Amino acid sequence: MESATQLLDLIRNAGDTASAVEAVRKAFDVHATYHLAQTAAGSVDAPFVRTTYPAAWVARYLLAGYVKVDSIAREGFGRILPFDWSEVEIGAEAMPMMRDALEHGLGSSGYSVPIIDRHGRRALFSINGTTTGDDWQAFVGANQASLAEVGHAIHRVALRELYGDDEPPQLSAREREVLMWTARGKDYKAVGLILGISHHTTKAYLKSARYKLDCTTIAQAVAKALSLRLISE
């Protein structure tokens, strides 16, 4: 395989996220998946996903609604540190999906790197392989640092593909919260009650978020924050 430096260069120069995950597949002889959650809160609906899994499995996953029972995705968006899939308890509802995955040629081993960027967006980079037991653990141990770097490099490629080279504004956690509740139809007084802050403070956070997003109205600010995956409805 390429050296870690060569692989990172390939990813950084990739034209799109699909090419970046394909570079990982070729380098490590594993399947690779990058999954950007819809929002900073970790929602997995309407995600941006690029993977090297067979098209037949991707279609099966979507048609069967496996995203609703995918223990790895659910666990990954709730964690901060990388984890081996053997650490995750697979619920009974996910067992049919796991058997189906094996029948579609996926491996039983996996490793995931949760990603949280400075704007609060969450993503998950995962690899899946057929190597098992001590051999898999040795592979992960030898490449742990590189896999973390690779995951973050792919995240930057994905953001470039989605949003171009412009960096989105850096909203505070509270600014994202007030925008999120506003997107859910709450007025500033209701938002204040939900968050335990005064309605004057709520209005101040909405105003500062609107300025940062360079919008004329709160409605425009909410729409822009949604499009940048900084909040969810």
Side-chain angles (χ1 to χ4, degrees):
M1 60 163 277
E2 294 94 344
S3 69
T5 300
Q6 289 174 320
L7 176 57
L8 286 169
D9 284 341
L10 284 173
I11 292 170
R12 289 167 184 149
N13 294 320
D16 53 31
T17 315
S19 299
V21 295
E22 179 61 21
V24 177
R25 187 192 67 78
K26 290 180 178 178
F28 290 114
D29 193 25
V30 294
H31 281 301
T33 301
Y34 170 82
H35 180 165
L36 175 64
Q38 183 183 21
T39 70
S43 171
V44 294
D45 52 325
F48 174 86
V49 178
R50 296 293 182 270
T51 184
T52 64
Y53 285 142
W57 167 245
V58 175
R60 174 64 177 163
Y61 183 93
L62 294 173
L63 289 172
Y66 283 150
V67 67
K68 298 175 183 177
V69 297
D70 190 337
S71 303
I72 300 303
R74 185 164 54 241
E75 188 80 11
F77 284 106
R79 290 203 183 202
I80 297 175
L81 298 177
F83 62 96
D84 193 89
W85 292 3
S86 62
E87 301 171 26
V88 178
E89 183 177 350
I90 305 299
E93 72 281 4
M95 292 309 296
M97 184 195 79
M98 301 304 291
R99 289 193 293 269
D100 207 355
L102 293 175
E103 289 174 4
H104 278 80
L106 276 67
S108 59
S109 300
Y111 182 78
S112 293
V113 178
I115 299 162
I116 308 174
D117 68 23
R118 61 179 183 153
H119 300 289
R121 288 171 300 207
R122 298 199 65 135
L124 192 65
F125 166 65
S126 302
I127 58 171
N128 170 268
T130 55
T131 306
T132 59
D134 291 342
D135 289 340
W136 176 258
Q137 294 303 321
F139 165 75
V140 170
N143 294 286
Q144 200 166 19
S146 295
L147 290 169
E149 284 191 83
V150 162
H152 284 83
I154 293 176
H155 182 61
R156 288 189 288 273
V157 173
L159 296 181
R160 187 176 70 221
E161 180 179 347
L162 284 166
Y163 309 121
D165 293 325
D166 293 335
E167 271 289 296
Q170 190 167 352
L171 300 181
S172 69
R174 189 61 94 186
E175 287 166 340
R176 292 198 303 271
E177 284 180 321
V178 297
L179 283 174
M180 180 188 71
W181 285 110
T182 301
R184 294 177 180 179
K186 305 297 183 182
D187 63 21
Y188 65 90
K189 291 182 180 179
V191 174
L193 287 173
I194 292 168
L195 299 179
I197 57 180
S198 73
H199 65 270
H200 295 294
T201 302
T202 301
K203 291 176 73 174
Y205 279 123
L206 285 169
K207 185 177 182 179
S208 63
R210 178 170 65 81
Y211 284 164
K212 287 182 180 180
L213 290 164
D214 192 26
C215 292
T216 305
T217 67
I218 296 300
Q220 290 174 346
V222 167
K224 188 169 184 178
L226 285 168
S227 71
L228 292 173
R229 298 176 184 243
L230 298 176
I231 64 168
S232 65
E233 290 187 275

